[in-house]
């Protein structure tokens, strides 16, 4: 069995927009969600800026009950529940009283409940283990977000959490795609989420991979593909997509955003230049070319690349790998953009939020701007035309978008989306 897979629902919690309407407006306008946080400065961080979604107490209560929110302290799970429930509703679906054995979720994360861990550690160290509460396990276990979503929505197919660093969200999408394509499920809610805060971001600050030059100008801090790029800006949030067999979507009369043509997942094995924090270029190229092949398209069919592109020294290397894998350069190279210029690097949530952005661009026929790219890196513009890196929105009919994520541990994922007709 080899079923066509389509996207029927989207949900997003991003630093520059919570919900599809505000997020769509933000990426069309090029609005940044990066802010200065005094608490990071007080803790001695070099990078005192970041991307944190704005979620009010009132909004929380639209998704979780007072009982669920009692002693709740896991931002990643909260973001995942909001995005996941929004995507489910956007697809015209609702929670069921009976178990829905045809629907499941693969919803990833990097770390779950870091603030809850901190709270629990202090209580245990103080001899107050009986004061931990009954939800500490659910909030800190790796599969917490998929467990919450599975229970809220009544999902009876596969319910699990994947974790592959920055590749998590794109990998989750491809895992759900495979499950539907092979007839093991009718629908899969896929996505990923990431906590925010000093206990998650501190390690990156210690590695000196975060920018420290824009504490006074936070919105200018994330500068992918720029000569002045000085490290990435940490972010957080969640993205979610409902994948469904074309047959199921048609039978329900569901609206369709796009089709998933295929993709590829691999690893560079931390060989050939690859390491825990650097990609193996050959593996990246194999992943990209494998995705193109599995999708049954030609490189020249791609209208837009939504890259990983983190605003580090690896940006040129990524563009070089895309060029070599697709065998395209100059004006023949597709348009390329990266959401990280607006929201920073949302870590485990990055791939899913960026997949939502990719699908929205495909659905609404525009190419979002790369903000802060006023000084394109000279090595990049020698390889591809500057015209292919838009600094302002381009209204354009696009048909195929390639989205890739490359993560810590030398892991890669690439997916190909197509406009549905």
């Amino acid at each position: 069995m080899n079923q066509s897979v389509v996207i029927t629902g989207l949900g997003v919690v991003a630093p520059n927009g919570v919900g599809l309407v505000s997020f769509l407006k933000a990426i069309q306008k090029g609005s940044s969600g990066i802010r200065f946080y005094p608490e990071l400065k007080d803790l001695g961080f070099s990078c005192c800026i970041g991307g944190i979604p704005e979620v009010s107490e009132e909004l929380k209560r639209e998704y979780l009950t007072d009982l669920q929110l009692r002693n709740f302290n896991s931002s990643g799970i909260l973001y995942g529940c909001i995005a996941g429930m929004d995507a489910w509703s956007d697809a015209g679906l609702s929670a069921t009283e009976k178990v829905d054995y045809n629907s499941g979720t693969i919803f990833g994360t990097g770390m779950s409940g870091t603030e809850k861990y901190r709270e629990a550690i202090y209580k245990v160290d103080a001899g107050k283990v009986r004061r931990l509460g009954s939800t500490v396990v659910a909030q800190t276990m790796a599969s917490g977000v998929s467990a919450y979503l599975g229970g809220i929505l009544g999902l009876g197919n596969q319910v699990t959490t994947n974790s592959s660093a920055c590749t998590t969200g794109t990998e989750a999408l491809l895992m759900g795609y495979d499950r539907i394509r092979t007839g093991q499920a009718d629908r899969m809610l896929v996505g990923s989420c990431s906590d925010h805060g000093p206990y998650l971001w501190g390690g990156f600050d210690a590695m000196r991979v975060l920018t420290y030059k824009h504490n006074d100008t936070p919105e200018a801090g994330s500068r992918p593909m720029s000569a002045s790029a000085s490290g990435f800006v940490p972010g957080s949030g969640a993205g979610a997509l409902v994948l469904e067999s074309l047959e199921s979507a048609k039978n329900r009369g569901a609206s369709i955003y796009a089709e998933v043509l295929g993709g590829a997942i691999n690893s560079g094995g931390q060989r050939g230049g690859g390491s825990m924090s650097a990609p193996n270029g050959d593996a990246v190229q194999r992943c990209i070319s494998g995705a193109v092949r599995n999708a049954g398209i030609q490189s020249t069919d791609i209208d837009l690349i939504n890259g990983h592109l983190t605003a580090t020294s690896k940006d040129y290397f990524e563009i070089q790998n895309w060029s070599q894998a697709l065998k395209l350069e100059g004006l023949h190279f597709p348009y390329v953009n990266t959401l990280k210029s607006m929201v920073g690097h949302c870590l485990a949530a990055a791939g899913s939020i960026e997949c939502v952005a990719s699908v929205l661009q495909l659905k609404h026929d525009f190419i979002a701007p790369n903000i802060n790219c006023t000084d394109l890196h000279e090595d990049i513009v020698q390889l591809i035309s500057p015209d292919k890196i838009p600094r302002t929105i381009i209204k354009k009919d696009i048909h195929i978008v390639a989205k890739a994520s490359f993560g810590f541990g030398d892991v890669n994922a690439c997916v190909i989306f197509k406009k549905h007709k």
Side-chain angles (χ1 to χ4, degrees):
M1 184 176 291
N2 197 359
Q3 300 194 74
S4 296
V5 179
V6 295
I7 299 166
T8 55
L10 298 174
V12 65
V13 177
N16 66 343
V18 176
L20 284 181
V21 174
S22 61
F23 181 67
L24 176 59
K25 289 180 179 178
I27 64 175
Q28 288 177 326
K29 290 181 179 179
S31 300
S32 175
I34 297 170
R35 305 287 182 265
F36 173 79
Y37 294 100
E39 57 268 36
L40 297 178
K41 182 178 180 180
D42 294 342
L43 289 168
F45 274 60
S46 297
C47 177
C48 303
I49 61 176
I52 300 177
E54 296 182 354
V55 178
S56 66
E57 291 298 320
E58 291 77 17
L59 186 62
K60 292 179 185 179
R61 282 168 170 75
E62 292 181 20
Y63 294 86
L64 300 178
T65 65
D66 288 340
L67 181 60
Q68 289 170 323
L69 287 170
R70 185 181 299 171
N71 297 320
F72 189 89
N73 195 21
S74 176
S75 57
I77 292 177
L78 173 67
Y79 299 152
C81 286
I82 294 174
M85 293 167 70
D86 276 356
W88 203 246
S89 176
D90 187 47
L93 300 165
S94 58
T96 59
E97 291 297 324
K98 295 183 179 180
V99 180
D100 180 0
Y101 290 107
N102 295 315
S103 301
T105 185
I106 299 175
F107 215 97
T109 190
M111 294 177 66
S112 185
T114 50
E115 290 288 342
K116 197 66 179 178
Y117 264 123
R118 174 180 178 271
E119 178 185 308
I121 289 168
Y122 274 108
K123 286 184 177 179
V124 170
D125 287 349
K128 298 179 180 179
V129 65
R130 296 184 182 276
R131 301 285 300 277
L132 288 177
S134 60
T135 64
V136 66
V137 173
Q139 290 187 58
T140 58
M141 66 184 187
S143 58
V145 63
S146 59
Y148 269 88
L149 285 169
I152 290 168
L153 300 175
L155 306 179
N157 205 279
Q158 183 179 8
V159 172
T160 193
T161 292
N162 67 307
S163 186
S164 294
C166 318
T167 306
T168 299
T170 308
E171 180 187 71
L173 188 151
L174 287 169
M175 291 171 70
Y177 162 81
D178 281 339
R179 192 157 184 84
I180 296 170
R181 185 176 59 87
T182 55
Q184 298 179 74
D186 289 337
R187 287 166 296 278
M188 293 296 294
L189 174 62
V190 300
S192 61
C193 60
S194 181
D195 286 8
H196 68 259
Y199 299 99
L200 181 58
W201 295 348
F204 297 105
D205 197 76
M207 289 177 67
R208 302 184 184 279
V209 294
L210 305 184
T211 181
Y212 61 89
K213 295 183 177 182
H214 296 277
N215 291 333
D216 295 329
T217 54
E219 293 188 358
S222 185
R223 310 182 67 81
M225 296 183 284
S226 297
S228 55
S230 55
F232 73 81
V233 176
S236 58
L241 306 91
V242 175
L243 305 186
E244 190 164 1
S245 70
L246 179 59
E247 180 182 7
S248 172
K250 285 184 173 180
N251 289 341
R252 291 197 306 113
S255 297
I256 295 174
Y257 281 99
E259 182 177 355
V260 183
L261 290 183
I265 301 170
N266 75 359
S267 170
Q270 299 181 43
R271 304 289 192 276
S275 67
M276 183 63 74
S277 58
N280 174 334
D282 178 64
V284 168
Q285 292 176 38
R286 285 172 177 265
C287 184
I288 294 168
S289 58
V292 170
R293 181 174 60 253
N294 294 339
I297 64 169
Q298 302 297 316
S299 296
T300 50
D301 294 329
I302 298 172
D303 298 302
L304 171 66
I305 293 169
N306 186 259
H308 189 60
L309 297 167
T310 57
T312 65
S313 60
K314 297 298 179 183
D315 285 4
Y316 165 69
F317 189 45
E318 179 179 336
I319 294 295
Q320 183 183 52
N321 284 326
W322 277 105
S323 179
Q324 292 179 2
L326 299 178
K327 296 180 172 57
L328 298 171
E329 60 182 33
L331 282 169
H332 299 290
F333 194 83
Y335 286 98
V336 59
N337 63 12
T338 169
L339 186 68
K340 292 182 180 72
S341 63
M342 303 182 209
V343 301
H345 189 343
C346 295
L347 305 177
S352 59
I353 296 174
E354 291 162 13
C355 281
V356 172
S358 299
V359 172
L360 287 174
Q361 291 175 85
L362 194 61
K363 177 68 174 178
H364 295 282
D365 289 319
F366 73 97
I367 297 174
N370 296 283
I371 67 173
N372 302 326
C373 285
T374 54
D375 57 334
L376 291 172
H377 196 286
E378 61 179 359
D379 291 338
I380 291 177
V381 297
Q382 286 181 9
L383 188 60
I384 65 174
S385 170
D387 293 340
K388 295 298 183 176
I389 307 173
R391 269 58 61 83
T392 57
I393 186 173
I394 295 176
K395 299 293 184 67
K396 182 178 176 61
D397 187 20
I398 55 177
H399 296 274
I400 293 181
V401 176
K403 166 68 204 147
S405 300
F406 311 115
F408 258 49
D410 199 7
V411 291
N412 313 303
C414 182
V415 59
I416 309 294
F417 300 114
K418 180 182 179 182
K419 185 188 296 292
H420 179 75
K421 296 184 179 180

